[in-house]
Amino acid sequence: MKRHFGSFSVLCAAGFLFLGSPSLAQKLDVEWTGAGAEFSSYLPQNIRLEAVKPAGIGPLPQGLVRPLFGQVLVGPAESRRPFTILVDERSEGEQRLYVDSNANGDFGDDPAPKWEPVTRPGARTSHTGTAKLFVRYESGLRVLELAIYRQRAVKPGEATAPLYCYRKWGYRGQAVLGGKTLKAAIDDFLTTGDFRGSETGKDSGVFLLLDVNGDGRFDNTGERFDVRKPFNIGGTTYEMSGLSADGDGMVLVPSNRSAAETKPNPVLTVGGPAPRFVARTTDGQPLRFPDDFRGRVVLLDFWATWCKPCRDELPNLKRVYDDLHSRGFAVVGVSLDKKYSGERLEKYTRENNLTWPQIFDGEEWEGEIARMYNVTGIPAAFLVDGDTGQIVAKEGYLRGSQLRPAVEKALGPGVRAGAGPRPAPESTLAMSFSQPREAPPARTPASTIVWSNPRPTAARPAADAADPLLSRAEEASRAGSLMSASDLLERRKNPAFAPLRLLAPSTAVLTGRSVARRAREGYLRVGWYYRCSSCNKGHLKLGGGYAVTETAVVTAWHVMTPPATSTSSQAVAFDSNGTVVSIKGVIAASERMDTIVLGVSGGALRPIPLSPAAEIGDAAFCFSDPLKQRNYFSAGIVNRYHVAGDDGWRDPERADPADLIMNVSTDWGPGSSGAAVLDGAGNVIGHVATIRPLFDEKPRASQDPAHGEEKSGPLMTLHDAIPARSILTLLRR
């Protein structure tokens, strides 16, 4: 069913959007479509499958082998109904799909969904399809098309593979903005079936999309506007009114609220310049794009190990690379893998013999390079001429059978001048920054990106230059007593394990002030002294740490990742008195546990016992430097133990200790990573890892934003710590 809205003036009451100067009547032609709507990105909604039949479901189809049930809620918020989905696993490669399209509990009166297997050589069978949902609004019944997919079937005894869905409905059309015709759309991004969106939180989940820069697509940044927030285009601020569940009657009117003007995004067109950047590869080497590829043609490939289409495309890319590398074809991979996936990425590239450089910052879709190139889906690729810096081909023309002809055309006849071995990158880079802007907020782990084109750079406090720790680090650097980043990273990859004689846990309960004193005396500041690529001055980037013996210090793995904005970095640590502690090696390390144990010498270390005995409800304390607020002490309790990547369904007592996370209600922030969490007896029961927000709608998808989107503002924040019982298993290996 389609509904068409024609051209209206600013005085009309409903069914139109007004764009442009408030004094002029503008036009928008939009068309409702309940099926087949394609947007530039989507956020898969996880449908949990279980063997238990939901309440209200009547007789099942005959001949089921292994039925699994899940439900998705779609429709107006006040009358939203669960639509039940049944997956029958008949064998590893065969599944059948049933959908209760009218939500009446009967699978026998619904249109058959489309559900097709997808099988590729060497891969297990996955399935994809669509189903119709009959959703009732005040204006009448609408048929909404739901895309459904399952990445793979499961083998007997395996955990159930999840089912995913996303919307195929919305409004598409065009708008007139300042006399210019633009593509426009209204997107129910969270697949709720309610175009009013959420009234609370950071985002409503429903967006007005405008192709402001005219490149034919909707970018996730700069071209997507929340229907519940004002926005500014061309110096005029607008807001939506007349919101309704089915999207009818929306009006865009001039707003008296303030909003920063949205500038058009750069247009990444063939023949245009490729955005320049400097980054560190996964082996710690600086890479200047595209400057390091003069004389060659280079493919910038955005991918992730979790992305099945990316993995399917890699064999083709590798064949083309192997065949044409000698003629001057190069590849740079940009991984959008989740943080703490570095080991998985390294293993995957090694096992599949992917020899080209990889960039990985753990920021997924919010990574600086991904945002610079407006990446909204992967695989995505840009073919760039290293001499001119121009984009010669992009995205869909760089996959499958089209990749090789595109690369050969760009290379031209013969061999490119830059083919063959390349010189090692310079150890020091001096990059100029014009028109500085404010830097994006720090995230954990530290980003590996350094901007070389105009990009925000935050002003440092004046006190930074007077920091006594900075001057002591500079002296230690001049004396040659600090370990280089390359040395530390190599040792982190290949730790020299040695057994440690740990202190026995204390059982005497201390007063709060006594715990604070012990925490402060045992606290170390650990991290990096580095020279900034922007100002060429020395800076410190420090987290927390704690001594477990007089020669061993524990901190978080990600704390010991060199800063992205550095031209040279050296590992450094300070004891509680501010004395430099020399880092001599790595005793143990696990990215999976976000833990590293450093061998050290010097300073006055006060070892603290490790205790695995903390239980839910026990007192917890933390001493750290959140956001450079030094010597901050807070108290709370142990909230829970859970399995990493899970929201509490799995039994932590049966999980691998390497996967355990402890939630604690003490306070911490960026800069606290690696600091000890103590119990009431002054024992270390864990250390600071991350901060994770929880949202008011569909929190599971919010915690795992597969496409880098947040659905609403946080109602609370989880403080994740690595528990001592996990750390002890690492030390005993």
Side-chain angles (χ1 to χ4, degrees), residues 592-604:
R592 181 179 174 187
M593 294 189 197
D594 198 14
T595 301
I596 185 170
V597 184
L598 304 170
V600 301
S601 67

Side-chain angles (χ1 to χ4, degrees), residues 305-306 335-347 360-364 443-446 492 555-561 590-596 642-645 658-661 668 672-674 687-692 703 718-722:
T305 59
W306 52 259
S335 167
L336 271 59
D337 278 285
K338 299 174 175 61
K339 61 182 177 181
Y340 309 140
S341 297
E343 289 182 347
R344 175 180 177 178
L345 174 64
E346 191 276 333
K347 179 181 179 182
F360 167 65
D361 63 6
E363 300 290 345
E364 303 175 70
R443 297 179 63 176
T444 300
R492 190 176 70 171
T555 186
W557 164 286
H558 69 261
V559 167
M560 300 314 297
T561 297
S590 171
E591 183 178 16
R592 181 179 174 187
M593 294 189 197
D594 198 14
T595 301
I596 185 170
H642 69 99
V643 181
D659 294 329
L660 281 183
I661 298 294
W668 60 64
S672 300
S673 295
H687 64 241
V688 175
T690 60
I691 300 173
R692 185 160 50 96
Q703 293 170 16
L718 295 182
H719 292 72
D720 291 343
I722 307 302

Side-chain angles (χ1 to χ4, degrees), residues 277-352:
F277 62 84
V278 177
R280 287 192 179 275
T281 61
T282 52
D283 60 3
Q285 296 297 321
L287 182 146
R288 298 165 295 187
F289 188 90
D291 296 10
D292 283 345
F293 299 92
R294 296 190 184 279
R296 291 188 289 176
V297 172
V298 55
L299 182 79
L300 190 65
D301 179 41
F302 294 89
W303 73 294
T305 59
W306 52 259
C307 169
K308 190 174 188 300
C310 302
R311 298 195 306 269
D312 292 342
E313 180 63 25
L314 280 173
N316 177 54
L317 174 57
K318 189 176 185 305
R319 284 191 297 270
V320 176
Y321 176 80
D322 290 343
D323 292 346
L324 300 179
H325 180 61
S326 61
R327 289 182 52 193
F329 176 48
V331 178
V332 174
V334 180
S335 167
L336 271 59
D337 278 285
K338 299 174 175 61
K339 61 182 177 181
Y340 309 140
S341 297
E343 289 182 347
R344 175 180 177 178
L345 174 64
E346 191 276 333
K347 179 181 179 182
Y348 186 89
T349 54
R350 183 182 68 252
E351 291 179 348
N352 290 275

Side-chain angles (χ1 to χ4, degrees), residues 196-216:
R196 294 169 295 186
S198 172
E199 296 184 35
T200 61
K202 180 180 177 181
D203 294 324
S204 72
V206 178
F207 299 95
L208 170 66
L209 309 181
L210 297 171
D211 181 17
V212 179
N213 66 1
D215 66 352

Side-chain angles (χ1 to χ4, degrees), residues 185 321 395 453 549 714:
Y321 176 80
E395 300 178 307
N453 59 332
T549 73

Side-chain angles (χ1 to χ4, degrees), residues 4 12 45 52 79 132 146 158-159 186-187 232 261 306 331 338 343 349 352 394 509 519 530 556 565-566 673 683 704:
H4 179 74
C12 292
Q45 305 299 304
V52 179
S79 59
K132 294 179 179 179
L146 187 72
E158 277 190 313
I186 304 175
D187 181 14
N232 186 305
E261 182 178 354
W306 52 259
V331 178
K338 299 174 175 61
E343 289 182 347
T349 54
N352 290 275
K394 65 176 189 176
V509 177
Y530 68 98
T565 55
S566 65
S673 295
N683 303 304
D704 184 21

